[in-house]
Amino acid sequence: MGAAMGAAMREALGAAMGTAVGAACRGLLDYKTAKFALTRNRRVGLLHRLLQLGVLGYLLGWVFLVKKGYQETDSAPRVSVITKLKGISVTEVKDAGNRLWDVADYVKPPQGENTFFLVTNLIITTKQAQGTCPESPSVLDGICREDADCPVGNPVVRGNGIKTGKCVMFNTTHSTCEIYSWCPVENDTLPRKPLLAEAENFTLFIKNNVNFTKFNFSKDNTLQTNDPTYFKSCTYDPFFSPFCPVFRIRDMVEAAGETFGNLALLGGSIGVYIKWDCDLDHPAALCQPQYSFSLQDRNYNFRTASYYWDPQKRHYRSLLKLYGIRFDISVHGQAGKFSIIPVAVSLGASIALLGAAKPPKDKAEASV
């Protein structure tokens, strides 16, 4: 009897499972439609239409017009920059006489890279030789009253050499430690005006090329013209000549919010930014760079020296403390071109938003 009951239960369970599986399989092929209720409520209807208009405005205004959501973009172009600076200046420096400065003298480094330094002012200490001499009284660690203030072998903190153990007279009013150094010590008298004041009229030629590899598109910033004298006569102006790649130094400094005279005296740093924003659905001639300038820092200088031997085989050097303007050129940009994939993505997202743009269900049902 127990075996019979077990068999019956198994048959019943098998039948129930079969029925469930069959119903599930039939449900896969069922077609369902949504049931709509017409709501005659102007407030609800107005809210519904406003939501739809908001989605359409977002799609057409922001996604397509502003963000150009119908385009595929490349925001990492390969860039190259070549610079050439031109100008001549003459300086008259005490103990050094007149000196002519050309591009080989006032541009560091001379290779024409995207970062370079333009000399505008300098301090020259001529005919230095290795030996012993008094430290400068402007160096606090070099001031002394007796030999005990100058321990042998100690370097002068922020000074010019190594202490010899002697306290000597620098002049009638100051005593300083004797040091082993390049003597005489560096001159620290800064000219009141920039020695290379003519540098404000020097011109800088910037040749920049961008390559958007995704679209196999290249462009440079030199205007396509049949006039062979154009680049020799034009000067960049944001309104009258925005596509000329020849810049006057004074104009660049003023565009960065500083005057050339102030910046040239103690030096500084100027950032030059080149921005490319290219819509490749339009002619390539419309793809042009935009230039901007900013003051990055004030007070910039470094030291360099030229070495020579006199007829008596004595080794000398001329020490130059160079003040000037450092230019840092950076290039960035993006290019866009129509593609069906971003269009499909934008439309799909907008259709989903349109489906969600409806008033709350409880309010709609309450006014039926």
Side-chain angles (χ1 to χ4, degrees):
M1 182 175 179
M5 291 181 63
M9 291 180 64
R10 286 194 296 271
E11 290 179 1
L13 182 60
M17 292 181 62
T19 302
V21 171
C25 292
R26 289 192 299 272
L28 292 175
L29 301 177
D30 290 345
Y31 174 72
K32 298 179 181 178
T33 60
K35 182 178 181 181
F36 293 94
L38 176 62
T39 304
R40 299 186 180 278
N41 186 305
R42 293 184 177 181
R43 293 182 179 180
V44 175
L46 178 61
L47 176 61
H48 186 203
R49 298 308 178 196
L50 288 176
L51 291 174
Q52 289 180 329
L53 287 175
V55 172
L56 288 175
Y58 167 77
L59 173 64
L60 298 177
W62 179 257
V63 175
F64 283 129
L65 294 181
V66 178
K67 290 298 184 179
K68 297 182 179 179
Y70 55 88
Q71 290 184 335
E72 186 178 7
T73 60
D74 183 357
S75 57
R78 295 180 180 178
V79 302
S80 66
V81 177
I82 298 175
T83 58
K84 291 183 180 180
L85 198 63
K86 290 186 178 181
I88 299 292
S89 181
V90 176
T91 61
E92 183 177 352
V93 182
K94 184 180 179 181
D95 299 330
N98 293 339
R99 175 172 176 177
L100 178 71
W101 294 75
D102 62 14
V103 65
D105 300 314
Y106 57 68
V107 177
K108 312 290 181 182
Q111 291 87 357
E113 301 174 350
N114 58 342
T115 298
F116 65 93
F117 177 82
L118 168 63
V119 179
T120 57
N121 203 9
L122 69 153
I123 300 174
I124 300 179
T125 307
T126 60
K127 206 171 184 179
Q128 283 188 320
Q130 291 190 13
T132 58
C133 54
E135 178 60 278
S136 171
S138 62
V139 181
L140 296 180
D141 190 45
I143 298 175
C144 62
R145 294 184 178 179
E146 55 186 15
D147 292 348
D149 297 329
C150 307
V152 179
N154 284 7
V156 181
V157 178
R158 298 183 181 178
N160 298 284
I162 306 297
K163 298 176 181 178
T164 65
K166 297 180 181 180
C167 183
V168 297
M169 295 295 296
F170 181 85
N171 52 32
T172 57
T173 57
H174 293 89
S175 295
T176 60
C177 294
E178 183 184 66
I179 58 173
Y180 179 74
S181 177
W182 285 93
C183 298
V185 293
E186 180 183 19
N187 175 22
D188 58 1
T189 303
L190 184 69
R192 296 184 178 180
K193 295 182 179 180
L195 292 179
L196 277 77
E198 294 88 349
E200 66 177 350
N201 293 316
F202 291 175
T203 57
L204 172 65
F205 172 71
I206 302 177
K207 185 174 182 181
N208 169 224
N209 179 273
V210 292
N211 183 5
F212 295 98
T213 55
K214 181 180 288 188
F215 305 118
N216 194 26
F217 177 80
S218 296
K219 188 73 185 293
D220 61 47
N221 65 330
T222 56
L223 185 66
Q224 302 299 318
T225 176
N226 295 323
D227 184 2
T229 64
Y230 176 75
F231 296 109
K232 296 181 179 180
S233 59
C234 77
T235 303
Y236 171 82
D237 184 276
F239 301 104
F240 302 106
S241 188
F243 305 132
C244 177
V246 181
F247 303 82
R248 187 166 58 176
I249 299 299
R250 182 179 64 190
D251 296 339
M252 299 172 72
V253 174
E254 292 177 351
E258 185 57 277
T259 62
F260 177 83
N262 291 337
L263 197 64
L265 185 63
L266 296 176
S269 179
I270 296 290
V272 182
Y273 305 98
I274 305 177
K275 180 182 178 181
W276 293 84
D277 190 1
C278 299
D279 187 343
L280 301 185
D281 294 327
H282 295 91
L286 299 180
C287 176
Q288 297 292 344
Q290 295 178 341
Y291 303 94
S292 60
F293 311 90
S294 69
L295 179 64
Q296 296 179 331
D297 197 7
R298 292 183 174 87
N299 300 341
Y300 189 88
N301 64 79
F302 65 92
R303 293 170 176 82
T304 185
S306 58
Y307 298 86
Y308 60 94
W309 299 82
D310 69 359
Q312 287 73 38
K313 303 299 182 180
R314 289 176 294 189
H315 193 202
Y316 291 97
R317 77 174 186 181
S318 292
L319 178 65
L320 285 78
K321 185 177 182 181
L322 302 177
Y323 296 82
I325 305 174
R326 173 190 169 107
F327 291 91
D328 295 300
I329 303 174
S330 61
V331 183
H332 56 94
Q334 69 173 17
K337 193 173 184 178
F338 176 83
S339 176
I340 193 61
I341 295 177
V343 172
V345 172
S346 298
L347 288 177
S350 300
I351 291 173
L353 287 175
L354 282 174
K358 56 184 179 181
K361 183 182 291 187
D362 54 347
K363 290 184 178 180
E365 291 176 350
S367 58
V368 175

